[in-house]
mmCIF file of all heavy atoms in Angstrom:
data_model
loop_
_atom_site.group_PDB
_atom_site.id
_atom_site.type_symbol
_atom_site.label_atom_id
_atom_site.label_comp_id
_atom_site.label_asym_id
_atom_site.label_seq_id
_atom_site.Cartn_x
_atom_site.Cartn_y
_atom_site.Cartn_z
ATOM 1 N N ASP Z 1 42.559 -6.828 -9.577
ATOM 2 C CA ASP Z 1 41.562 -5.803 -9.857
ATOM 3 C C ASP Z 1 40.265 -6.036 -9.090
ATOM 4 O O ASP Z 1 39.516 -5.099 -8.832
ATOM 5 C CB ASP Z 1 41.249 -5.752 -11.357
ATOM 6 C CG ASP Z 1 42.422 -5.221 -12.169
ATOM 7 O OD1 ASP Z 1 43.304 -4.562 -11.587
ATOM 8 O OD2 ASP Z 1 42.462 -5.483 -13.390
ATOM 9 N N LYS Z 2 39.993 -7.273 -8.717
ATOM 10 C CA LYS Z 2 38.731 -7.604 -8.051
ATOM 11 C C LYS Z 2 38.798 -7.444 -6.539
ATOM 12 O O LYS Z 2 37.768 -7.276 -5.894
ATOM 13 C CB LYS Z 2 38.337 -9.052 -8.367
ATOM 14 C CG LYS Z 2 37.934 -9.271 -9.795
ATOM 15 C CD LYS Z 2 37.555 -10.722 -10.018
ATOM 16 C CE LYS Z 2 37.167 -10.994 -11.449
ATOM 17 N NZ LYS Z 2 36.864 -12.400 -11.675
ATOM 18 N N ILE Z 3 39.983 -7.553 -5.947
ATOM 19 C CA ILE Z 3 40.126 -7.564 -4.497
ATOM 20 C C ILE Z 3 40.629 -6.211 -4.005
ATOM 21 O O ILE Z 3 41.632 -5.702 -4.489
ATOM 22 C CB ILE Z 3 41.071 -8.698 -4.054
ATOM 23 C CG1 ILE Z 3 40.492 -10.046 -4.478
ATOM 24 C CG2 ILE Z 3 41.295 -8.656 -2.552
ATOM 25 C CD1 ILE Z 3 41.425 -11.217 -4.270
ATOM 26 N N ALA Z 4 39.939 -5.651 -3.035
ATOM 27 C CA ALA Z 4 40.320 -4.354 -2.484
ATOM 28 C C ALA Z 4 41.598 -4.482 -1.665
ATOM 29 O O ALA Z 4 41.804 -5.469 -0.961
ATOM 30 C CB ALA Z 4 39.195 -3.814 -1.607
ATOM 31 N N GLU Z 5 42.427 -3.460 -1.764
ATOM 32 C CA GLU Z 5 43.644 -3.415 -0.965
ATOM 33 C C GLU Z 5 43.367 -2.638 0.320
ATOM 34 O O GLU Z 5 42.369 -1.920 0.427
ATOM 35 C CB GLU Z 5 44.767 -2.759 -1.766
ATOM 36 C CG GLU Z 5 45.196 -3.596 -2.954
ATOM 37 C CD GLU Z 5 46.315 -2.949 -3.759
ATOM 38 O OE1 GLU Z 5 46.782 -1.850 -3.405
ATOM 39 O OE2 GLU Z 5 46.713 -3.570 -4.759
ATOM 40 N N GLN Z 6 44.272 -2.761 1.282
ATOM 41 C CA GLN Z 6 44.091 -2.136 2.591
ATOM 42 C C GLN Z 6 43.854 -0.627 2.481
ATOM 43 O O GLN Z 6 42.957 -0.095 3.121
ATOM 44 C CB GLN Z 6 45.326 -2.422 3.461
ATOM 45 C CG GLN Z 6 45.198 -1.945 4.885
ATOM 46 C CD GLN Z 6 44.214 -2.747 5.695
ATOM 47 O OE1 GLN Z 6 43.855 -3.854 5.333
ATOM 48 N NE2 GLN Z 6 43.766 -2.201 6.797
ATOM 49 N N LYS Z 7 44.627 0.057 1.652
ATOM 50 C CA LYS Z 7 44.483 1.509 1.508
ATOM 51 C C LYS Z 7 43.087 1.864 0.993
ATOM 52 O O LYS Z 7 42.450 2.797 1.490
ATOM 53 C CB LYS Z 7 45.558 2.050 0.560
ATOM 54 C CG LYS Z 7 45.497 3.540 0.405
ATOM 55 C CD LYS Z 7 46.554 4.049 -0.551
ATOM 56 C CE LYS Z 7 46.403 5.553 -0.681
ATOM 57 N NZ LYS Z 7 46.924 6.070 -1.887
ATOM 58 N N GLU Z 8 42.617 1.112 0.012
ATOM 59 C CA GLU Z 8 41.291 1.363 -0.553
ATOM 60 C C GLU Z 8 40.200 1.182 0.502
ATOM 61 O O GLU Z 8 39.248 1.962 0.584
ATOM 62 C CB GLU Z 8 41.062 0.415 -1.731
ATOM 63 C CG GLU Z 8 39.772 0.607 -2.449
ATOM 64 C CD GLU Z 8 39.566 -0.379 -3.593
ATOM 65 O OE1 GLU Z 8 40.458 -1.208 -3.862
ATOM 66 O OE2 GLU Z 8 38.492 -0.318 -4.202
ATOM 67 N N ILE Z 9 40.349 0.162 1.329
ATOM 68 C CA ILE Z 9 39.367 -0.100 2.391
ATOM 69 C C ILE Z 9 39.368 1.044 3.400
ATOM 70 O O ILE Z 9 38.311 1.532 3.803
ATOM 71 C CB ILE Z 9 39.659 -1.443 3.082
ATOM 72 C CG1 ILE Z 9 39.435 -2.600 2.102
ATOM 73 C CG2 ILE Z 9 38.812 -1.619 4.338
ATOM 74 C CD1 ILE Z 9 39.963 -3.936 2.580
ATOM 75 N N LEU Z 10 40.549 1.487 3.814
ATOM 76 C CA LEU Z 10 40.643 2.584 4.785
ATOM 77 C C LEU Z 10 40.060 3.875 4.212
ATOM 78 O O LEU Z 10 39.367 4.613 4.925
ATOM 79 C CB LEU Z 10 42.094 2.790 5.203
ATOM 80 C CG LEU Z 10 42.707 1.669 6.042
ATOM 81 C CD1 LEU Z 10 44.199 1.920 6.256
ATOM 82 C CD2 LEU Z 10 41.991 1.500 7.366
ATOM 83 N N GLU Z 11 40.316 4.146 2.937
ATOM 84 C CA GLU Z 11 39.761 5.344 2.307
ATOM 85 C C GLU Z 11 38.236 5.276 2.269
ATOM 86 O O GLU Z 11 37.550 6.266 2.553
ATOM 87 C CB GLU Z 11 40.313 5.513 0.893
ATOM 88 C CG GLU Z 11 41.769 5.932 0.859
ATOM 89 C CD GLU Z 11 42.379 5.883 -0.536
ATOM 90 O OE1 GLU Z 11 41.719 5.361 -1.479
ATOM 91 O OE2 GLU Z 11 43.512 6.363 -0.685
ATOM 92 N N PHE Z 12 37.694 4.103 1.927
ATOM 93 C CA PHE Z 12 36.244 3.943 1.882
ATOM 94 C C PHE Z 12 35.632 4.138 3.276
ATOM 95 O O PHE Z 12 34.649 4.867 3.435
ATOM 96 C CB PHE Z 12 35.864 2.566 1.333
ATOM 97 C CG PHE Z 12 34.398 2.262 1.440
ATOM 98 C CD1 PHE Z 12 33.486 2.871 0.594
ATOM 99 C CD2 PHE Z 12 33.929 1.383 2.402
ATOM 100 C CE1 PHE Z 12 32.124 2.606 0.704
ATOM 101 C CE2 PHE Z 12 32.576 1.116 2.522
ATOM 102 C CZ PHE Z 12 31.670 1.734 1.669
ATOM 103 N N MET Z 13 36.222 3.500 4.277
ATOM 104 C CA MET Z 13 35.689 3.619 5.642
ATOM 105 C C MET Z 13 35.746 5.078 6.110
ATOM 106 O O MET Z 13 34.844 5.536 6.808
ATOM 107 C CB MET Z 13 36.479 2.723 6.597
ATOM 108 C CG MET Z 13 36.311 1.237 6.334
ATOM 109 S SD MET Z 13 34.621 0.677 6.525
ATOM 110 C CE MET Z 13 34.475 0.705 8.282
ATOM 111 N N THR Z 14 36.780 5.792 5.718
ATOM 112 C CA THR Z 14 36.889 7.202 6.089
ATOM 113 C C THR Z 14 35.793 8.020 5.417
ATOM 114 O O THR Z 14 35.177 8.890 6.048
ATOM 115 C CB THR Z 14 38.281 7.752 5.707
ATOM 116 O OG1 THR Z 14 39.276 6.978 6.384
ATOM 117 C CG2 THR Z 14 38.423 9.211 6.088
ATOM 118 N N ARG Z 15 35.505 7.753 4.143
ATOM 119 C CA ARG Z 15 34.413 8.461 3.454
ATOM 120 C C ARG Z 15 33.069 8.158 4.109
ATOM 121 O O ARG Z 15 32.231 9.051 4.248
ATOM 122 C CB ARG Z 15 34.381 8.098 1.972
ATOM 123 C CG ARG Z 15 35.496 8.720 1.161
ATOM 124 C CD ARG Z 15 35.257 8.589 -0.346
ATOM 125 N NE ARG Z 15 34.892 7.259 -0.784
ATOM 126 C CZ ARG Z 15 35.741 6.300 -1.134
ATOM 127 N NH1 ARG Z 15 37.036 6.514 -1.079
ATOM 128 N NH2 ARG Z 15 35.303 5.120 -1.536
ATOM 129 N N VAL Z 16 32.859 6.904 4.533
ATOM 130 C CA VAL Z 16 31.609 6.544 5.207
ATOM 131 C C VAL Z 16 31.514 7.290 6.536
ATOM 132 O O VAL Z 16 30.477 7.857 6.881
ATOM 133 C CB VAL Z 16 31.508 5.012 5.438
ATOM 134 C CG1 VAL Z 16 30.340 4.674 6.342
ATOM 135 C CG2 VAL Z 16 31.374 4.287 4.104
ATOM 136 N N MET Z 17 32.618 7.308 7.279
ATOM 137 C CA MET Z 17 32.627 7.987 8.576
ATOM 138 C C MET Z 17 32.318 9.480 8.408
ATOM 139 O O MET Z 17 31.605 10.061 9.219
ATOM 140 C CB MET Z 17 33.992 7.820 9.243
ATOM 141 C CG MET Z 17 34.092 8.460 10.613
ATOM 142 S SD MET Z 17 35.781 8.596 11.190
ATOM 143 C CE MET Z 17 36.383 9.925 10.175
ATOM 144 N N ARG Z 18 32.820 10.076 7.350
ATOM 145 C CA ARG Z 18 32.598 11.503 7.103
ATOM 146 C C ARG Z 18 31.275 11.769 6.387
ATOM 147 O O ARG Z 18 30.978 12.904 6.038
ATOM 148 C CB ARG Z 18 33.753 12.066 6.273
ATOM 149 C CG ARG Z 18 35.049 12.074 7.050
ATOM 150 C CD ARG Z 18 36.183 12.600 6.222
ATOM 151 N NE ARG Z 18 37.401 12.611 7.028
ATOM 152 C CZ ARG Z 18 38.610 12.672 6.534
ATOM 153 N NH1 ARG Z 18 38.782 12.754 5.215
ATOM 154 N NH2 ARG Z 18 39.661 12.671 7.309
ATOM 155 N N ARG Z 19 30.531 10.713 6.144
ATOM 156 C CA ARG Z 19 29.231 10.762 5.480
ATOM 157 C C ARG Z 19 29.336 11.369 4.081
ATOM 158 O O ARG Z 19 28.464 12.094 3.627
ATOM 159 C CB ARG Z 19 28.202 11.496 6.338
ATOM 160 C CG ARG Z 19 27.978 10.788 7.671
ATOM 161 C CD ARG Z 19 26.937 11.411 8.516
ATOM 162 N NE ARG Z 19 25.631 11.177 7.892
ATOM 163 C CZ ARG Z 19 24.554 11.890 8.170
ATOM 164 N NH1 ARG Z 19 24.613 12.842 9.052
ATOM 165 N NH2 ARG Z 19 23.419 11.644 7.575
ATOM 166 N N GLN Z 20 30.421 11.014 3.381
ATOM 167 C CA GLN Z 20 30.628 11.464 2.011
ATOM 168 C C GLN Z 20 30.114 10.438 1.008
ATOM 169 O O GLN Z 20 29.951 10.767 -0.154
ATOM 170 C CB GLN Z 20 32.122 11.726 1.768
ATOM 171 C CG GLN Z 20 32.667 12.873 2.587
ATOM 172 C CD GLN Z 20 34.177 12.958 2.546
ATOM 173 O OE1 GLN Z 20 34.866 11.981 2.285
ATOM 174 N NE2 GLN Z 20 34.701 14.142 2.816
ATOM 175 N N GLU Z 21 29.908 9.216 1.443
ATOM 176 C CA GLU Z 21 29.358 8.176 0.563
ATOM 177 C C GLU Z 21 27.852 8.393 0.473
ATOM 178 O O GLU Z 21 27.181 8.573 1.481
ATOM 179 C CB GLU Z 21 29.641 6.772 1.116
ATOM 180 C CG GLU Z 21 31.049 6.296 0.894
ATOM 181 C CD GLU Z 21 31.381 6.063 -0.564
ATOM 182 O OE1 GLU Z 21 30.572 5.449 -1.283
ATOM 183 O OE2 GLU Z 21 32.453 6.516 -0.984
ATOM 184 N N MET Z 22 27.346 8.375 -0.736
ATOM 185 C CA MET Z 22 25.924 8.623 -0.950
ATOM 186 C C MET Z 22 25.183 7.302 -1.153
ATOM 187 O O MET Z 22 25.729 6.364 -1.726
ATOM 188 C CB MET Z 22 25.721 9.514 -2.174
ATOM 189 C CG MET Z 22 26.450 10.858 -2.084
ATOM 190 S SD MET Z 22 25.966 11.836 -0.668
ATOM 191 C CE MET Z 22 24.455 12.515 -1.253
ATOM 192 N N GLU Z 23 23.967 7.249 -0.671
ATOM 193 C CA GLU Z 23 23.098 6.090 -0.852
ATOM 194 C C GLU Z 23 21.904 6.522 -1.695
ATOM 195 O O GLU Z 23 21.428 7.647 -1.580
ATOM 196 C CB GLU Z 23 22.584 5.575 0.498
ATOM 197 C CG GLU Z 23 23.652 5.051 1.413
ATOM 198 C CD GLU Z 23 23.078 4.570 2.738
ATOM 199 O OE1 GLU Z 23 21.844 4.410 2.850
ATOM 200 O OE2 GLU Z 23 23.871 4.376 3.655
ATOM 201 N N GLN Z 24 21.418 5.605 -2.519
ATOM 202 C CA GLN Z 24 20.225 5.907 -3.309
ATOM 203 C C GLN Z 24 18.999 5.379 -2.577
ATOM 204 O O GLN Z 24 18.979 4.235 -2.119
ATOM 205 C CB GLN Z 24 20.312 5.270 -4.690
ATOM 206 C CG GLN Z 24 21.289 5.961 -5.591
ATOM 207 C CD GLN Z 24 21.205 5.464 -7.015
ATOM 208 O OE1 GLN Z 24 20.676 4.400 -7.295
ATOM 209 N NE2 GLN Z 24 21.741 6.248 -7.940
ATOM 210 N N VAL Z 25 17.999 6.229 -2.468
ATOM 211 C CA VAL Z 25 16.747 5.870 -1.816
ATOM 212 C C VAL Z 25 15.629 6.053 -2.841
ATOM 213 O O VAL Z 25 15.550 7.084 -3.501
ATOM 214 C CB VAL Z 25 16.484 6.758 -0.581
ATOM 215 C CG1 VAL Z 25 15.146 6.427 0.053
ATOM 216 C CG2 VAL Z 25 17.608 6.625 0.421
ATOM 217 N N THR Z 26 14.779 5.037 -2.977
ATOM 218 C CA THR Z 26 13.661 5.110 -3.910
ATOM 219 C C THR Z 26 12.383 5.349 -3.116
ATOM 220 O O THR Z 26 12.087 4.620 -2.172
ATOM 221 C CB THR Z 26 13.538 3.794 -4.714
ATOM 222 O OG1 THR Z 26 14.774 3.556 -5.373
ATOM 223 C CG2 THR Z 26 12.431 3.887 -5.737
ATOM 224 N N ASN Z 27 11.648 6.379 -3.513
ATOM 225 C CA ASN Z 27 10.375 6.698 -2.877
ATOM 226 C C ASN Z 27 9.257 6.559 -3.900
ATOM 227 O O ASN Z 27 9.424 6.892 -5.068
ATOM 228 C CB ASN Z 27 10.374 8.142 -2.353
ATOM 229 C CG ASN Z 27 11.393 8.344 -1.259
ATOM 230 O OD1 ASN Z 27 11.454 7.576 -0.316
ATOM 231 N ND2 ASN Z 27 12.218 9.374 -1.409
ATOM 232 N N VAL Z 28 8.109 6.070 -3.445
ATOM 233 C CA VAL Z 28 6.928 5.993 -4.297
ATOM 234 C C VAL Z 28 6.038 7.178 -3.931
ATOM 235 O O VAL Z 28 5.576 7.297 -2.804
ATOM 236 C CB VAL Z 28 6.163 4.663 -4.096
ATOM 237 C CG1 VAL Z 28 4.919 4.638 -4.959
ATOM 238 C CG2 VAL Z 28 7.067 3.490 -4.392
ATOM 239 N N LEU Z 29 5.847 8.065 -4.896
ATOM 240 C CA LEU Z 29 5.019 9.251 -4.674
ATOM 241 C C LEU Z 29 3.686 9.089 -5.394
ATOM 242 O O LEU Z 29 3.617 8.477 -6.453
ATOM 243 C CB LEU Z 29 5.729 10.496 -5.212
ATOM 244 C CG LEU Z 29 7.127 10.775 -4.656
ATOM 245 C CD1 LEU Z 29 7.738 11.965 -5.382
ATOM 246 C CD2 LEU Z 29 7.073 11.027 -3.170
ATOM 247 N N LYS Z 30 2.652 9.644 -4.803
ATOM 248 C CA LYS Z 30 1.333 9.639 -5.445
ATOM 249 C C LYS Z 30 1.096 11.033 -5.998
ATOM 250 O O LYS Z 30 1.000 11.997 -5.259
ATOM 251 C CB LYS Z 30 0.255 9.251 -4.451
ATOM 252 C CG LYS Z 30 0.489 7.867 -3.884
ATOM 253 C CD LYS Z 30 -0.794 7.174 -3.591
ATOM 254 C CE LYS Z 30 -0.488 5.811 -2.989
ATOM 255 N NZ LYS Z 30 -1.073 4.772 -3.677
ATOM 256 N N LYS Z 31 1.061 11.115 -7.309
ATOM 257 C CA LYS Z 31 0.896 12.388 -7.993
ATOM 258 C C LYS Z 31 -0.540 12.465 -8.518
ATOM 259 O O LYS Z 31 -0.975 11.595 -9.266
ATOM 260 C CB LYS Z 31 1.897 12.461 -9.143
ATOM 261 C CG LYS Z 31 1.809 13.700 -9.983
ATOM 262 C CD LYS Z 31 2.827 13.640 -11.118
ATOM 263 C CE LYS Z 31 2.595 14.757 -12.081
ATOM 264 N NZ LYS Z 31 3.476 14.633 -13.248
ATOM 265 N N PRO Z 32 -1.288 13.529 -8.144
ATOM 266 C CA PRO Z 32 -2.668 13.637 -8.641
ATOM 267 C C PRO Z 32 -2.687 14.010 -10.127
ATOM 268 O O PRO Z 32 -1.936 14.871 -10.576
ATOM 269 C CB PRO Z 32 -3.285 14.748 -7.799
ATOM 270 C CG PRO Z 32 -2.145 15.497 -7.225
ATOM 271 C CD PRO Z 32 -0.951 14.578 -7.210
ATOM 272 N N VAL Z 33 -3.545 13.320 -10.869
ATOM 273 C CA VAL Z 33 -3.698 13.567 -12.304
ATOM 274 C C VAL Z 33 -5.187 13.761 -12.579
ATOM 275 O O VAL Z 33 -6.026 13.013 -12.085
ATOM 276 C CB VAL Z 33 -3.150 12.376 -13.129
ATOM 277 C CG1 VAL Z 33 -3.379 12.583 -14.612
ATOM 278 C CG2 VAL Z 33 -1.686 12.162 -12.832
ATOM 279 N N VAL Z 34 -5.493 14.776 -13.377
ATOM 280 C CA VAL Z 34 -6.889 15.072 -13.719
ATOM 281 C C VAL Z 34 -7.197 14.384 -15.052
ATOM 282 O O VAL Z 34 -6.522 14.608 -16.048
ATOM 283 C CB VAL Z 34 -7.132 16.585 -13.829
ATOM 284 C CG1 VAL Z 34 -8.570 16.869 -14.255
ATOM 285 C CG2 VAL Z 34 -6.783 17.273 -12.526
ATOM 286 N N LEU Z 35 -8.222 13.518 -15.037
ATOM 287 C CA LEU Z 35 -8.677 12.840 -16.249
ATOM 288 C C LEU Z 35 -10.045 13.387 -16.648
ATOM 289 O O LEU Z 35 -10.897 13.610 -15.792
ATOM 290 C CB LEU Z 35 -8.795 11.333 -16.016
ATOM 291 C CG LEU Z 35 -7.527 10.569 -15.672
ATOM 292 C CD1 LEU Z 35 -7.868 9.106 -15.388
ATOM 293 C CD2 LEU Z 35 -6.534 10.654 -16.803
ATOM 294 N N THR Z 36 -10.225 13.564 -17.929
ATOM 295 C CA THR Z 36 -11.540 13.973 -18.435
ATOM 296 C C THR Z 36 -12.246 12.710 -18.889
ATOM 297 O O THR Z 36 -11.737 11.946 -19.720
ATOM 298 C CB THR Z 36 -11.392 14.954 -19.619
ATOM 299 O OG1 THR Z 36 -10.618 16.072 -19.179
ATOM 300 C CG2 THR Z 36 -12.745 15.416 -20.092
ATOM 301 N N VAL Z 37 -13.412 12.485 -18.313
ATOM 302 C CA VAL Z 37 -14.170 11.269 -18.608
ATOM 303 C C VAL Z 37 -15.422 11.652 -19.383
ATOM 304 O O VAL Z 37 -16.163 12.560 -18.987
ATOM 305 C CB VAL Z 37 -14.553 10.532 -17.303
ATOM 306 C CG1 VAL Z 37 -15.358 9.283 -17.607
ATOM 307 C CG2 VAL Z 37 -13.314 10.220 -16.480
ATOM 308 N N ASN Z 38 -15.654 10.976 -20.512
ATOM 309 C CA ASN Z 38 -16.859 11.196 -21.311
ATOM 310 C C ASN Z 38 -17.925 10.216 -20.849
ATOM 311 O O ASN Z 38 -17.715 9.013 -20.810
ATOM 312 C CB ASN Z 38 -16.589 10.990 -22.801
ATOM 313 C CG ASN Z 38 -15.696 12.078 -23.356
ATOM 314 O OD1 ASN Z 38 -15.776 13.220 -22.915
ATOM 315 N ND2 ASN Z 38 -14.855 11.727 -24.299
ATOM 316 N N GLY Z 39 -19.075 10.772 -20.510
ATOM 317 C CA GLY Z 39 -20.183 9.929 -20.077
ATOM 318 C C GLY Z 39 -20.956 9.389 -21.272
ATOM 319 O O GLY Z 39 -20.519 9.464 -22.420
ATOM 320 N N SER Z 40 -22.161 8.896 -21.039
ATOM 321 C CA SER Z 40 -22.974 8.295 -22.100
ATOM 322 C C SER Z 40 -23.601 9.350 -23.011
ATOM 323 O O SER Z 40 -23.889 9.082 -24.152
ATOM 324 C CB SER Z 40 -24.066 7.421 -21.481
ATOM 325 O OG SER Z 40 -24.840 8.195 -20.599
#
């Protein structure tokens, strides 16, 4: 169960070649937030 077989490897490489495998990308976004500040 832990070791990939030849068929599984070929199927994976084919999906990568066809760009069907998805990658997760993390982006840091700066979102503007309005704060109400009470003065003295």
